[in-house]
Amino acid sequence: MSDIKMKPVDVVVVGSGVAGSIMAMELANAGLSVVCLERGRLMSEADFAKPSVYDELKFERHSDIFQNLSRETITFRNHGGERALPMRELGSFKPGEMVGGSAVHWGGNARRFLPHDFEIRSRITERYGAGFIAEHSTIQDWGVTWDDVEPYYDQFEHIYGVGGKAGNLNGEIQAGGNPYEGPRSREYPNPPTQRAPQGAVFANAAEELGYVPYQGAAAAMTQDYQNLYKVHLLQCQRGGFCSSHVCAEGAKANPMSAVLPALFKQKNFELRPLCNVVKVNKDSTGKKATGVTYIDAKGREVEQPASIVVLSSYCFNNVRLLLVSGIGKPYDPVSGRGVVGRNYSYQAGGRVQVFFDDREFNPFIGGGQCNTSIDEFNGDVIDRGPLGFVGGAYVNTSSPGASPIKTKPVPYGTPRWGSEWKKAVARNYRRTLGIHIHASCMSYRHNYLDLDPTYKDAFGLPLLRMTFDWHSNEKKMVKWVTEKCVEIAKVMNPANISSRDKGDKYSIVPYQSTHNVGGAVMGADPCTSVVNKYLQSWDVSNLFVVGGSAFPQNAANGPTETIGMLACWAADGIKELYLRNPGSMV
């Protein structure tokens, strides 16, 4: 029995990140009473005023706005034969812990997935045959098509003020954009970023080899902009400190800057920070959610009744809440049965670092995903039959701006410390650029999430356990793309080229990306998915699970824009279908 039982509301939303803030805004706009519960604290613009917002030690190294691992973490192992151990320090990824979630510190990479990505198993099978898909791969179609979701990508881009240049407008290829993207219904709401000097060097080399460079889409404003929610965002000044930091200019779109100012004006909306949800409550049938239970800032157990429950927290927490609440059948990698925790995936990739004697740049200036890209190695653009792998990558050279403590590339073979290392850092800081490989990652039978049998969190609940390692498919794909990037680098006439991938075995120690997906995936079959095409639980019809947890596998193009799109799509489904006829929508 909870210490406190709150007044019932129409909707309780768990998490205030990209998905949660949009879900709350759309449902509150529809006239529903909405309570949003966020485990992190509410911070104001004053907390990120200049110059303190540029404190790289505080925000990047000491993890001020990231998850508190002393209270809750995950355990990790590469395979089922190992004992999983707790992640004691943030490394490979950095889930957020404040109002706005992980998107508050994202870099602004706002790319749509490709049409191919939503029907990947069908399309691969059709083009190459079912035997082309790797053994033990569990990749699957999403249950939606490009035509279903394109309007919701457009909606998200007009909420987040994404800047770019259309490459495919209603089926007609446009100069200056990405010719390989899916057809768009209209142009971006903002113009693309200006090409940086590093990007110009990369573009010239790529064009010489026959590739088509374009400016990658960015959610850092390229001009002052008023979004769909009538929130004003300011033009980015390219002052750096974007990823792992909150924008001091209010130019990077995120829940705090683009959605919450409008949401706070809704009289039927309430945000409760420092509230850690520990369970989804169900009625006696187990088929209907009655609300959630959370621990508040005073340590009290509170019950929040609601007619609709939306789980829209980070990938790990969505999956963990389903498991501890007994919703959906947990995945068993031995039998291959069960769905909750199935198809966990991550983001593959690598980098080719190029060093010059005769060129200098200013790496301190940049940010907001100012990058120049090519897409010839992505999706089904390439003929993968002779190459023998599924998936692909986009490749870019970015100008991320200042992170001078962590960003010190030096040529391969340089000592890792001492006077020679210092000399190499000083010499190369202004004479280098990176060619980054941002690659897809397929799902496999033995990569999954479940509850750890040993370790518990501060509330006595089992931690989430991750079992994950790279597959030969991703290793082969990254190796091939890396070779292509080295070819581009050689055209630049550099003094030195150093290449690096993510290693033979996945390590949770070095930072790679906060792009964890899967575990509560969407699909057309309840035997292989947790939620249907509308992100509605197959088992509990008034429960919706929205976010990166819904991805059946990960595409190359970064998950944030697709997470935002799914929130727009799911909210529309609730408003247009569920509210008119509560119950299963499929």
Side-chain angles (χ1 to χ4, degrees):
M1 189 73 178
S2 298
D3 300 327
I4 302 170
K5 186 170 183 178
M6 305 297 288
K7 179 182 176 181
V9 294
D10 294 325
V11 185
V12 60
V13 176
V14 180
S16 63
V18 171
S21 59
I22 290 175
M23 292 294 292
M25 182 66 186
E26 292 294 317
L27 297 178
N29 261 342
L32 302 177
S33 56
V34 179
V35 166
C36 181
L37 303 172
E38 167 58 50
R39 68 181 178 182
R41 64 198 191 275
L42 175 63
M43 303 179 76
S44 69
E45 292 181 359
D47 295 303
F48 305 108
K50 293 184 285 188
S52 60
V53 72
Y54 301 137
D55 189 336
E56 190 179 347
L57 282 176
K58 177 180 180 180
F59 292 108
E60 172 74 39
R61 185 68 186 90
H62 297 156
S63 310
D64 185 71
I65 56 177
F66 304 145
Q67 182 173 325
N68 179 1
L69 300 191
S70 67
R71 191 197 67 239
E72 177 191 331
T73 185
I74 68 163
T75 66
F76 165 72
R77 59 186 181 175
N78 283 121
H79 58 81
E82 294 180 338
R83 179 184 176 184
L85 296 174
M87 185 182 187
R88 300 291 189 181
E89 184 176 331
L90 286 165
S92 181
F93 40 81
K94 300 174 180 178
E97 189 165 313
M98 60 174 288
V99 171
S102 300
V104 170
H105 68 79
W106 77 314
N109 178 5
R111 296 168 188 263
R112 300 180 176 193
F113 281 6
L114 303 174
H116 165 89
D117 296 326
F118 295 102
E119 302 173 277
I120 187 167
R121 191 169 195 101
S122 295
R123 295 201 183 193
I124 290 293
T125 300
E126 180 181 355
R127 183 170 179 180
Y128 304 104
F132 191 76
I133 298 171
E135 185 181 7
H136 302 308
S137 175
T138 53
I139 63 171
Q140 64 191 53
D141 297 350
W142 291 54
V144 294
T145 67
W146 178 260
D147 290 340
D148 291 328
V149 301
E150 195 283 332
Y152 299 94
Y153 270 127
D154 181 81
Q155 180 182 349
F156 175 76
E157 287 170 354
H158 283 76
I159 295 170
Y160 268 51
V162 176
K165 176 70 183 75
N168 183 338
L169 198 55
N170 294 311
E172 295 186 7
I173 303 303
Q174 308 291 307
N178 175 11
Y180 306 106
E181 69 175 354
R184 305 171 54 87
S185 54
R186 58 174 167 167
E187 191 50 270
Y188 285 95
N190 279 318
T193 59
Q194 292 184 353
R195 186 162 291 173
Q198 298 97 312
V201 173
F202 171 76
N204 291 337
E207 285 178 334
E208 189 169 327
L209 293 177
Y211 303 123
V212 181
Y214 63 94
Q215 291 303 103
M221 301 309 103
T222 52
Q223 61 186 7
D224 289 0
Y225 177 72
Q226 182 170 281
N227 75 0
L228 277 183
Y229 297 148
K230 308 300 182 186
V231 178
H232 196 72
L233 294 99
L234 300 177
Q235 182 177 352
C236 174
Q237 302 302 310
R238 304 294 174 206
F241 297 100
C242 291
S243 181
S244 299
H245 294 260
V246 178
C247 179
E249 305 290 343
K252 181 175 68 175
N254 61 55
M256 281 184 64
S257 62
V259 182
L260 289 169
L263 193 47
F264 286 145
K265 295 178 181 178
Q266 300 282 344
K267 294 182 179 179
N268 52 336
F269 170 77
E270 180 186 355
L271 171 70
R272 294 181 199 155
L274 299 175
C275 293
N276 200 311
V277 176
V278 294
K279 184 173 65 172
V280 177
N281 303 319
K282 299 173 289 182
D283 67 4
S284 58
T285 69
K287 299 296 184 182
K288 181 180 179 182
T290 59
V292 300
T293 296
Y294 66 88
I295 309 299
D296 71 7
K298 295 182 179 180
R300 301 173 297 185
E301 188 173 284
V302 182
E303 181 182 349
Q304 177 57 67
S307 300
I308 298 173
V309 176
V310 177
L311 301 185
S312 53
S313 56
Y314 197 74
C315 162
F316 296 144
N317 205 42
N318 276 355
V319 175
R320 184 166 176 256
L321 279 172
L322 291 171
L323 290 170
V324 299
S325 304
I327 298 173
K329 185 177 181 180
Y331 174 66
D332 175 13
V334 177
S335 67
R337 296 176 182 152
V339 289
V340 183
R342 180 179 182 272
N343 279 39
Y344 169 72
S345 187
Y346 193 42
Q347 195 92 63
R351 186 179 73 203
V352 173
Q353 198 70 33
V354 189
F355 299 89
F356 300 96
D357 286 334
D358 56 348
R359 286 194 175 108
E360 289 197 13
F361 312 104
N362 187 346
F364 202 79
I365 294 175
Q369 270 302 313
C370 180
N371 72 88
T372 305
S373 303
I374 58 172
D375 230 35
E376 277 80 1
F377 314 134
N378 201 354
D380 218 22
V381 178
I382 51 178
D383 179 5
R384 290 175 291 199
L387 303 175
F389 59 76
V390 173
Y394 77 83
V395 170
N396 76 2
T397 288
S398 62
S399 304
S403 290
I405 296 175
K406 75 169 185 177
T407 308
K408 302 178 291 292
V410 291
Y412 182 78
T414 301
R416 298 185 64 182
W417 62 282
S419 59
E420 292 304 312
W421 174 80
K422 291 180 181 179
K423 290 177 184 177
V425 169
R427 170 166 179 76
N428 291 289
Y429 181 71
R430 295 173 59 92
R431 295 183 175 90
T432 184
L433 63 81
I435 303 176
H436 302 274
I437 300 164
H438 207 276
S440 59
C441 185
M442 299 300 106
S443 298
Y444 300 94
R445 182 170 178 167
H446 298 291
N447 287 342
Y448 64 100
L449 304 172
D450 67 351
L451 294 178
D452 192 280
T454 304
Y455 296 98
K456 300 183 185 300
D457 69 5
F459 305 116
L461 296 172
L463 296 181
L464 192 72
R465 178 171 63 178
M466 175 201 294
T467 304
F468 179 79
D469 206 352
W470 301 122
H471 191 276
S472 58
N473 179 84
E474 279 62 44
K475 296 176 189 176
K476 188 183 296 185
M477 180 256 295
V478 170
K479 180 177 183 294
W480 181 81
V481 178
T482 300
E483 291 169 354
K484 295 295 183 182
C485 291
V486 170
E487 291 176 3
I488 296 172
K490 288 179 178 177
V491 176
M492 302 177 189
N493 295 316
N496 187 286
I497 300 173
S498 297
S499 63
R500 187 187 74 180
D501 61 25
K502 294 186 186 298
D504 188 59
K505 291 182 70 66
Y506 170 70
S507 170
I508 206 167
V509 176
Y511 182 74
Q512 293 162 64
S513 75
T514 308
H515 295 173
N516 313 89
V517 300
V521 308
M522 62 192 291
D525 184 352
C527 292
T528 58
S529 57
V530 173
V531 293
N532 63 28
K533 63 186 289 186
Y534 297 106
L535 290 300
Q536 179 189 39
S537 167
W538 289 110
D539 300 289
V540 180
S541 63
N542 64 333
L543 172 66
F544 294 81
V545 187
V546 187
S549 56
F551 293 23
Q553 54 277 325
N554 209 0
N557 282 9
T560 307
E561 170 130 343
T562 299
I563 290 171
M565 174 277 287
L566 289 178
C568 295
W569 161 258
D572 204 43
I574 293 173
K575 292 185 293 183
E576 298 298 322
L577 298 175
Y578 181 83
L579 293 179
R580 295 177 182 177
N581 186 23
S584 177
M585 297 157 66
V586 175

